[in-house]
């Protein structure tokens, strides 16, 4: 049976309309609703399903971030994860924390915990990087499948259906392996109240990047964060004829 | 001493502005028959960096793509890695090839289009070279300063990369395609020894067949949302699309409800497109959807709900029942 690691990130809730800070250094995060990155919920759900099918022995969830990041871990524990690891990174160090740093942390944890399968969300909806699974696979030299819509675990391998441009493809990965979850992989469960209560008793181990020997020196300098250009307000047309006339005027048809 | 300082300054300036010492490797994407259009957009991005451009073509059959690339303007060299180990172009083998090519030729920049392939391989290559990659670049300010969008396109970030090698994936719709035709790049074979990692195996691939243009490169796109109510109803969009020679897309709601296949998806989690004309039918316009289409030149929304957020970005909005408006439009075009 496999030992599974899932990564979770606390991000601004997907339904929140974000605001750029007036000084252009980033977006406003204080007092804004946060929740677990939606793709990570899918990763957690898949891991829990593997355990329910007796294909996984233990599931560990890891998060990197400030103290509040533990909320994401508690949610994962309430969904059925066995234990949490919180790698605390805060302040300016967190602001320039990139997938390269997180991947190195994940790679270290995977080795320390003798993990067989890592499942991560395909991207975080804040930085939209879509890098961490790929980079972790590079650091560990493990097999990789991104954008998974189906995962079938075998004895020594895992077969993954991936969403690709224009269709889908199937690959078989040698274990240990890393898979990133796409939205279609599953429908994450809601944590029930009894499980939320139980999750409070589950262990969370606290570490720092230093404990793991990972250097978090910034690799990038954020020069500015600005609002995207706004579109000119359009017009409501009364009927199909006017619409077609307007489109013809613009040379679209 | 003064002259030395000026000399040094000049050198620095020269390097920065003219890209004298820049050399870029572009990872080409193709299907063993034709070059994928996003490669041409990526070549334009590479040209913005200045310096020499080499393009790497890997696959089981590289002839057609290499031929097309050798005639592309602005390319110095086409590197060809043709082997059965690139069947299905598994990320582990492709990464090994790119890293070996980089270690031999020492490029300052490595670029690929931000397609499924580019998004998958670029970060793995970056990890192997201990570099922090930059995803989905929409603008190039200088050889080390790049623009990208975050939070589903709701903020634009300008960042300076500190790593010695810059490894980027390029958003195709943000750069014009490089023209194929008049160049004369040399074609060179590259060794593939040591690139067969045997870490994963390609099993099968299923691409949906369609006579319509491909979603990410189509000039016109017609998309349906939850308001379509069923997959059968998508037929009225196909009819309209055929009249306009358009590709067909869908919102997350339509895909989740099973009305449209997943590769139709336009949005933060699907394709990011910027056609000349985007017609959103029965789509409310959630931020995740807008992230995928708001750079379209002209946006048309057809929706019976006048409060739908899509009308805030639409150039032309029609508040009407789509089941009446769409067939009427098809009939009158």
């Amino acid at each position: 049976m496999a030992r599974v690691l899932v990564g979770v990130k606390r991000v601004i809730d997907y339904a929140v309309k974000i605001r750029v800070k007036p000084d252009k250094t980033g977006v406003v995060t204080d007092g804004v609703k946060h929740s677990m990155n939606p793709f990570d919920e899918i990763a957690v759900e898949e891991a829990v399903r593997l355990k329910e099918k007796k294909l996984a022995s233990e599931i560990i969830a890891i998060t990197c971030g400030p103290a509040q990041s533990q909320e994401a871990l508690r949610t994962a524990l309430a969904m059925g994860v066995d234990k949490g690891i919180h790698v605390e990174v805060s302040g300016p160090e967190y602001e320039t924390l990139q997938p390269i740093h997180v991947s190195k942390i994940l790679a270290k944890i995977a080795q320390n915990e003798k993990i067989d399968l890592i499942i991560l969300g395909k991207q975080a909806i804040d930085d939209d990087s879509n890098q961490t699974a790929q980079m972790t696979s590079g650091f560990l030299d493990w097999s990789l499948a991104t954008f998974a819509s189906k995962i079938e675990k075998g004895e020594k391998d895992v077969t993954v259906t991936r969403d690709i441009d224009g269709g889908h493809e199937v690959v078989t990965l040698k274990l240990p392996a890393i898979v990133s979850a796409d939205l279609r992989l599953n429908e994450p469960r809601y944590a029930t109240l009894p499980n939320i209560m139980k999750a409070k008793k589950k262990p969370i181990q606290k570490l720092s990047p230093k404990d793991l020997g990972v250097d978090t020196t910034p690799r990038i300098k954020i020069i500015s964060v600005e609002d995207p250009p706004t579109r000119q307000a359009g017009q409501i047309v009364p009927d199909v004829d006017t619409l077609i006339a307007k489109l013809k005027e613009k040379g679209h048809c | 001493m003064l002259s030395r300082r000026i000399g040094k300054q000049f050198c620095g300036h020269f390097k920065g502005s003219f890209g004298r010492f820049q050399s870029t490797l572009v990872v080409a994407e193709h299907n063993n028959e034709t070059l994928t259009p996003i490669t041409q957009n990526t070549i334009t991005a590479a040209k913005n960096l200045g310096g020499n451009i080499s393009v790497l073509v890997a696959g089981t059959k590289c002839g057609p793509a290499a031929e097309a690339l050798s005639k592309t303007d602005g390319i110095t060299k086409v590197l060809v890695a043709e082997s059965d180990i690139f069947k299905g172009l598994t990320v582990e083998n492709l990464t090994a090839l790119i890293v070996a090519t980089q270690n031999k030729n020492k490029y300052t920049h490595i670029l690929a289009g931000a397609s499924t392939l580019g998004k998958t391989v670029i970060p793995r290559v970056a990890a192997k070279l201990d570099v922090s990659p930059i995803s989905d670049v929409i603008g190039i300010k200088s050889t080390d300063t790049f623009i990208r969008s975050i939070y589903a396109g709701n903020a634009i970030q300008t960042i300076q990369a500190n790593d010695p090698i810059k490894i980027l994936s390029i958003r195709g719709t943000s750069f014009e395609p490089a023209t194929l035709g008049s160049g004369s790049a040399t074609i060179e074979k590259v060794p593939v020894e040591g690139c067969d990692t045997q870490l994963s195996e390609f099993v099968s691939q299923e691409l949906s067949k369609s006579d319509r243009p491909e979603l990410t490169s189509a000039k016109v796109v017609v998309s349906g949302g939850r308001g379509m109510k069923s997959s059968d109803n998508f037929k009225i969009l196909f009819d309209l699309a055929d009249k306009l020679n358009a590709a067909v897309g869908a919102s997350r709601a339509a895909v989740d409800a099973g009305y449209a296949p997943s590769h139709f998806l336009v949005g933060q989690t699907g394709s990011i497109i910027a056609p000349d004309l985007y017609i959103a039918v029965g789509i409310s316009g959630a931020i995740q959807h807008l992230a995928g289409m708001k750079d379209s030149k002209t946006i048309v929304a057809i929706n019976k709900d006048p409060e739908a957020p899509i009308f805030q970005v639409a150039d032309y909005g029609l508040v009407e029942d789509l089941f009446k408006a769409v067939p009427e439009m098809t009939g009158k075009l």
Side-chain angles (χ1 to χ4, degrees):
Chain A
M1 280 207 291
R3 290 172 62 76
V4 180
L5 180 69
V6 290
V8 296
K9 184 177 185 183
R10 177 182 176 268
V11 297
I12 293 182
D13 190 87
Y14 73 94
V16 170
K17 177 98 182 77
I18 59 120
R19 280 185 303 130
V20 170
K21 286 185 192 165
D23 66 0
K24 296 184 179 178
T25 56
V27 305
V28 177
T29 55
D30 288 343
V32 174
K33 188 188 175 200
H34 283 68
S35 40
M36 194 198 294
N37 179 42
F39 294 105
D40 301 349
E41 288 185 2
I42 294 166
V44 170
E45 175 67 32
E46 196 65 19
V48 173
R49 288 185 191 188
L50 286 175
K51 195 176 174 190
E52 287 167 347
K53 285 187 226 157
K54 311 244 181 285
L55 294 168
S57 54
E58 187 179 28
I59 313 167
I60 302 171
I62 174 175
T63 196
C64 303
Q68 302 95 309
S69 306
Q70 281 205 12
E71 293 164 17
L73 277 184
R74 287 291 169 203
T75 308
L77 293 169
M79 287 173 74
V81 164
D82 298 298
K83 78 168 194 181
I85 297 176
H86 176 205
V87 179
E88 191 158 14
V89 184
S90 56
E93 191 189 4
Y94 184 59
E95 268 160 40
T96 52
L97 194 77
Q98 279 195 284
I100 188 169
H101 308 119
V102 175
S103 306
K104 285 183 178 183
I105 290 168
L106 290 177
K108 261 294 163 48
I109 300 278
Q111 285 168 328
N112 292 353
E113 297 284 344
K114 305 205 172 1
I115 296 295
D116 305 290
L117 178 63
I118 303 179
I119 310 177
L120 303 174
K122 76 163 177 180
Q123 78 191 62
I125 60 164
D126 51 4
D127 64 24
D128 281 338
S129 289
N130 194 333
Q131 297 173 350
T132 303
Q134 296 89 313
M135 296 196 81
T136 309
S137 84
F139 288 125
L140 289 165
D141 206 14
W142 288 8
S143 56
L144 166 71
T146 49
F147 314 120
S149 58
K150 191 175 175 190
I151 299 176
E152 293 162 290
K153 199 192 152 293
E155 200 49 49
K156 288 204 162 69
D157 54 26
V158 54
T159 298
V160 180
T161 305
R162 310 174 57 218
D163 277 353
I164 58 168
D165 299 325
H168 59 263
E169 72 171 32
V170 181
V171 286
T172 298
L173 310 179
K174 262 190 201 165
L175 288 173
I178 303 188
V179 180
S180 80
D182 214 324
L183 271 180
R184 268 164 299 279
L185 182 59
N186 59 48
E187 188 79 42
R189 71 194 62 191
Y190 289 102
T192 58
L193 189 60
N195 286 340
I196 292 170
M197 299 311 286
K198 266 188 240 164
K200 291 187 175 166
K201 291 193 188 119
K202 290 184 181 176
I204 290 182
Q205 185 187 1
K206 243 173 111 168
L207 292 168
S208 74
K210 212 177 263 170
D211 295 335
L212 297 161
V214 173
D215 176 9
T216 55
T217 307
R219 302 297 192 94
I220 52 143
K221 187 174 153 199
I222 299 170
I223 302 205
S224 69
V225 175
E226 296 175 56
D227 283 311
T230 47
R231 288 189 77 95
Q232 291 290 323
Q235 60 182 110
I236 297 291
V237 293
D239 50 38
V240 168
D241 291 321
T242 319
L243 178 59
I244 291 175
K246 293 280 181 196
L247 293 179
K248 283 197 169 143
E249 220 172 88
K250 284 210 159 188
H252 287 310
C253 56
Chain B
M1 199 169 148
L2 184 68
S3 67
R4 234 170 76 193
R5 230 169 68 200
I6 291 170
K8 218 170 159 185
Q9 257 176 10
F10 181 69
C11 251
H13 177 73
F14 198 54
K15 193 178 169 186
S17 308
F18 296 95
R20 174 78 189 266
F21 304 112
Q22 306 295 327
S23 60
T24 300
L25 179 68
V26 172
V27 181
E29 190 172 343
H30 67 113
N31 63 2
N32 292 317
E33 294 296 334
T34 54
L35 195 64
T36 308
I38 196 168
T39 304
Q40 287 164 257
N41 307 96
T42 309
I43 289 167
T44 301
K47 284 187 195 171
N48 288 355
L49 292 162
N52 286 332
I53 301 171
S54 301
V55 184
L56 178 64
V57 186
T60 53
K61 189 180 155 207
C62 302
E67 185 80 2
L69 284 163
S70 69
K71 291 180 187 140
T72 304
D73 263 347
I75 295 177
T76 318
K77 217 182 259 180
V78 180
L79 304 170
V80 176
E82 190 171 280
S83 164
D84 286 342
I85 67 166
F86 298 122
K87 186 181 165 225
L89 218 55
T90 60
V91 58
E92 300 89 348
N93 289 3
L94 181 58
T95 301
L97 174 71
I98 298 168
V99 170
T101 309
Q102 168 63 22
N103 288 341
K104 189 168 161 237
N105 298 336
K106 309 282 180 209
Y107 301 97
T108 55
H109 295 74
I110 303 175
L111 271 58
S115 58
T116 308
L117 181 76
K119 284 175 181 170
T120 302
V121 77
I122 281 287
R124 186 166 165 118
V125 168
K128 290 281 180 203
L129 298 168
D130 196 17
V131 167
S132 187
I134 318 276
S135 293
D136 219 358
V137 169
I138 60 172
I140 293 173
K141 285 193 113 166
S142 74
T143 54
D144 67 355
T145 307
F146 310 104
I147 306 171
R148 59 183 303 270
S149 77
I150 53 175
Y151 288 96
N154 287 294
I156 305 294
Q157 189 185 47
T158 304
I159 54 176
Q160 193 176 358
N162 296 336
D163 288 311
I165 310 167
K166 323 292 183 221
I167 304 186
L168 323 171
S169 65
I170 301 295
R171 183 176 296 181
T173 54
S174 298
F175 298 87
E176 290 296 318
T179 46
L180 304 172
S182 58
S184 55
T186 53
I187 298 182
E188 189 182 303
K189 280 200 174 204
V190 295
V192 300
E193 284 81 44
C195 296
D196 191 6
T197 63
Q198 302 191 346
L199 284 171
S200 73
E201 199 185 323
F202 172 79
V203 179
S204 64
Q205 191 179 72
E206 207 172 299
L207 299 177
S208 64
K209 289 184 189 77
S210 168
D211 297 332
R212 286 185 200 90
E214 203 264 323
L215 183 60
T216 53
S217 54
K219 293 241 180 292
V220 182
V221 173
V222 179
S223 272
R226 196 197 302 274
M228 297 306 298
K229 295 205 175 92
S230 78
S231 57
D232 290 344
N233 289 338
F234 258 74
K235 176 158 190 320
I236 63 170
L237 294 191
F238 294 144
D239 292 342
L240 177 60
D242 290 343
K243 272 279 171 78
L244 292 163
N245 189 30
V248 177
S251 71
R252 167 101 261 147
V255 170
D256 280 349
Y259 304 165
S262 54
H263 60 266
F264 275 32
L265 184 64
V266 173
Q268 183 185 18
T269 60
S271 295
I272 293 168
I273 59 174
D276 289 344
L277 176 61
Y278 186 80
I279 304 179
V281 181
I283 292 176
S284 65
I287 48 177
Q288 291 79 9
H289 185 73
L290 300 182
M293 45 59 80
K294 67 180 179 182
D295 292 330
S296 306
K297 282 204 186 85
T298 302
I299 298 173
V300 170
I302 301 174
N303 202 308
K304 65 181 174 193
D305 174 13
E307 303 297 323
I310 191 80
F311 287 119
Q312 289 163 24
V313 299
D315 298 279
Y316 304 111
L318 178 62
V319 183
E320 204 176 291
D321 183 357
L322 68 94
F323 295 107
K324 184 177 165 286
V326 174
E328 186 187 342
M329 199 171 162
T330 308
K332 286 178 174 171
L333 280 168

